[in-house]
Amino acid sequence: MELWIWILLAVVIAALLVVIVTTMRAIRPKAPGPLDAGVAAPSLASPARPLSARDPRPAPPAALTPAVTARIDALVAAEQRISAIKVLREASGLSLREAKDRIDTWTPSAPAVRPAVTPPYPQAGSASDALARLSPEVRAEIGRLVAADQKISAIKLLREATGLGLKDSKDAVDAWR
């Protein structure tokens, strides 16, 4: 072979080696870098450090407004702690850890009022009375669900409409014509 072909082959191989080496370096995992110079690392010696002029977080207010407190009370009572932490952080400017610690020890100031989803359970023997008071629309929908073999949906609808218990509703749907 001629000399120029050997030189061309050597250049192509060298170029391929350069591409392979740079690709391998690019996909190699990187070690984590130092923290941003503007953000100070938390000190283990003083976990409750005072806020300084360099700290970007605002100072938390002395007290939360009654509306915010009521909202947090409702969220804590409903066991929605993440939402409660978010509300507290937005209202007070606390850090995530501080807000979580406060919500973990939060006791609602008033008992939570939960609206009743269904009417109270009727007295024994009143299942037939409850069925007699059904509106024609509900009767038609339950009939359609029973005909479509969707008994669970029919039982749910009957329970919501009458307040009957699960067993009474199931028995009524089983006997539905």
Side-chain angles (χ1 to χ4, degrees):
M1 275 201 322
E2 294 187 28
L3 182 63
W4 67 272
I5 293 176
W6 286 105
I7 294 172
L8 182 64
L9 187 59
V11 169
V12 169
I13 291 174
L16 283 175
L17 286 175
V18 169
V19 169
I20 291 172
V21 168
T22 55
T23 303
M24 295 302 285
R25 284 188 180 181
I27 64 172
R28 182 176 51 189
K30 306 283 189 267
L35 293 175
D36 186 14
V39 178
S43 171
L44 296 177
S46 60
R49 62 181 172 85
L51 295 174
S52 66
R54 291 182 281 162
D55 196 348
R57 292 181 302 179
L64 298 172
T65 63
V68 171
T69 303
R71 188 168 172 204
I72 294 172
D73 284 346
L75 291 169
V76 169
E79 297 181 11
Q80 296 179 352
R81 295 201 177 279
I82 294 173
S83 298
I85 291 169
K86 287 179 183 178
V87 170
L88 180 61
R89 287 191 69 199
E90 290 170 0
S92 67
L94 293 173
S95 71
L96 180 60
R97 176 170 295 278
E98 293 167 335
K100 181 197 174 296
D101 291 342
R102 284 190 59 185
I103 293 299
D104 285 344
T105 60
W106 190 282
T107 54
S109 56
V113 178
R114 294 185 182 182
V117 175
T118 60
Y121 187 80
Q123 299 297 324
S126 63
S128 59
D129 295 339
L131 291 174
R133 291 190 305 258
L134 279 177
S135 68
E137 295 85 18
V138 173
R139 278 185 175 277
E141 181 64 18
I142 291 174
R144 184 190 70 74
L145 291 170
V146 169
D149 200 27
Q150 297 178 351
K151 290 187 177 186
I152 294 175
S153 298
I155 292 169
K156 286 181 181 179
L157 180 60
L158 184 61
R159 288 188 72 198
E160 290 172 2
T162 62
L164 289 173
L166 180 61
K167 182 177 181 343
D168 291 336
S169 297
K170 182 188 178 305
D171 292 342
V173 166
D174 287 341
W176 199 274
R177 294 182 197 140

